[in-house]
Amino acid sequence: MMKIAITTLAAILLVALTTSAYAEVPDWVKNNAGWWADGIITESEFLSGIAFLINDGIIIVPPTSVASQTGEGVPDWVKNNAGWWADGIITDGEFVNGIQHLIKTGLISVSTNTESSQMKYEEPKTADSQLTTLQADLEKCSEIKVGYKRLDCEKPLKKAITLYQYKTHAQKFEIGPITYYWFGVGSEGNEFEIRPSGQAILSIRMLAENTSSEITAMHCTSPSICSYDVWDGTKAFKYSGMDFTSGEIVLNPGDSREFNIVFGPNIGYGGTKFEFDSSKTYYFRINENFGSTNILLELE
């Protein structure tokens, strides 16, 4: 029982570090409610956990005053509500009504700090709420015992989380039917270094999303026939490695794909050796049949 409580608290802390206030109770909190209703965790563990979530702005409840006479224990109907809510029988609002009762009777103590209250009752951040839901669904996949079924569960959720992270934090480049997202040099998968041999290595990792209603393909069949290269104003540098399958990436409407291109040694097939000159300005060029753009590379 103690192990379950510690695991629960760790999950709460992990999500709390990456979330903001929500107008609705996150689905992953239902685990706690269900465990309490089933007697797996104690009443005090449940109340402490809920108080933490309210004070940290993860569960939002309307302003509630504490009555002059406090309660002596949690009413059975509140515990029943927790179990019903965990099973999806009652709504978030009905569950929050029970939480309000616990606050009113002094069984749950919440912060009254003005600054905290202002943060707590701000407008919900829909995008962050979407990420929390995706993370919770991904966590549920770990409960699947059969390996291939667990992977089938995890794959689309991991892809959706990756897309969310690009959309909310990366630079955005709209080129015809494809929108490209890029975190910039220095981020994971986007490294620049000069090896002891003197060879410059530049790695580019991007995500492409098909925002059109038509199937669209990105093209790169060989270093000499590729819609992606690096340009220094006078010379085009061709890739040393890439992960296009059979020379192209086909995207269905609404689909997205993360891809990698590396510039470095000359591998032949019309390739070029990537050379770095600090006096020059470098661009990552996209030159597809549906559109083109030059993206500034800050390599110093």
Side-chain angles (χ1 to χ4, degrees):
M1 185 176 298
M2 181 59 68
K3 182 178 180 181
I4 293 173
I6 292 173
T7 303
T8 303
L9 181 57
I12 291 172
L13 291 174
L14 176 61
V15 180
L17 289 174
T18 56
T19 54
S20 299
Y22 302 100
E24 297 181 350
V25 183
D27 288 342
W28 52 266
V29 181
K30 290 183 178 180
N31 288 338
N32 263 10
W35 290 337
W36 174 49
D38 294 337
I40 298 175
I41 63 174
T42 66
E43 179 180 295
S44 61
E45 288 171 331
F46 173 75
L47 295 180
S48 297
I50 292 297
F52 170 83
L53 296 173
I54 294 173
N55 287 325
D56 209 51
I58 297 171
I59 290 181
I60 303 301
V61 295
T64 306
S65 58
V66 180
S68 56
Q69 292 184 342
T70 59
E72 296 181 356
V74 178
D76 290 339
W77 66 267
V78 175
K79 189 170 185 178
N80 290 337
N81 270 10
W84 291 335
W85 175 66
D87 293 334
I89 298 173
I90 64 174
T91 65
D92 285 0
E94 291 171 307
F95 173 70
V96 169
N97 286 340
I99 299 303
Q100 278 188 277
H101 175 82
L102 299 180
I103 296 172
K104 185 176 181 180
T105 56
L107 292 171
I108 291 181
S109 177
V110 298
S111 172
T112 57
N113 180 273
T114 302
E115 181 180 354
S116 175
S117 298
Q118 290 174 346
M119 292 176 62
K120 192 181 301 181
Y121 299 111
E122 66 183 2
E123 288 297 315
K125 298 181 180 179
T126 305
D128 286 345
S129 182
Q130 178 186 352
L131 177 60
T132 302
T133 300
L134 290 170
Q135 290 173 328
D137 290 342
L138 180 61
E139 180 65 25
K140 291 177 183 177
C141 292
S142 63
E143 300 173 3
I144 300 175
K145 303 302 181 184
V146 180
Y148 74 90
K149 290 185 178 180
R150 182 172 63 254
L151 293 175
D152 287 344
C153 176
E154 292 175 343
K155 185 175 180 180
L157 291 168
K158 287 181 177 179
K159 186 174 182 179
I161 290 172
T162 297
L163 177 61
Y164 166 86
Q165 291 170 334
Y166 271 98
K167 283 189 170 184
T168 54
H169 299 294
Q171 301 175 60
K172 180 180 179 181
F173 306 91
E174 296 180 356
I175 307 172
I178 300 293
T179 298
Y180 295 83
Y181 298 92
W182 185 52
F183 285 112
V185 175
S187 61
E188 183 178 357
N190 293 281
E191 293 86 17
F192 171 69
E193 65 172 324
I194 298 179
R195 299 279 175 84
S197 63
Q199 175 63 63
I201 303 291
L202 172 65
S203 301
I204 300 290
R205 176 177 295 171
M206 285 187 167
L207 183 137
E209 180 187 22
N210 183 359
T211 56
S212 74
S213 59
E214 303 291 335
I215 297 174
T216 304
M218 300 159 54
H219 305 91
C220 188
T221 56
S222 70
S224 61
I225 309 174
C226 185
S227 299
Y228 305 84
D229 62 22
V230 171
W231 174 253
D232 70 356
T234 59
K235 183 177 181 179
F237 298 98
K238 306 302 182 178
Y239 74 79
S240 299
M242 56 84 173
D243 57 5
F244 281 55
T245 303
S246 300
E248 64 179 12
I249 294 175
V250 179
L251 296 174
N252 293 318
D255 197 9
S256 63
R257 163 77 183 272
E258 195 175 42
F259 65 95
N260 300 274
I261 299 180
V262 178
F263 299 89
N266 183 358
I267 63 170
Y269 309 101
T272 50
K273 177 182 178 182
F274 181 53
E275 300 170 338
F276 176 71
D277 183 340
S278 60
S279 67
K280 294 183 178 181
T281 301
Y282 293 81
Y283 296 88
F284 179 69
R285 298 196 303 184
I286 299 174
N287 187 27
E288 288 281 6
N289 55 20
F290 50 76
S292 61
T293 192
N294 293 348
I295 300 174
L296 177 64
L297 296 170
E298 298 181 358
L299 300 184
E300 290 189 286

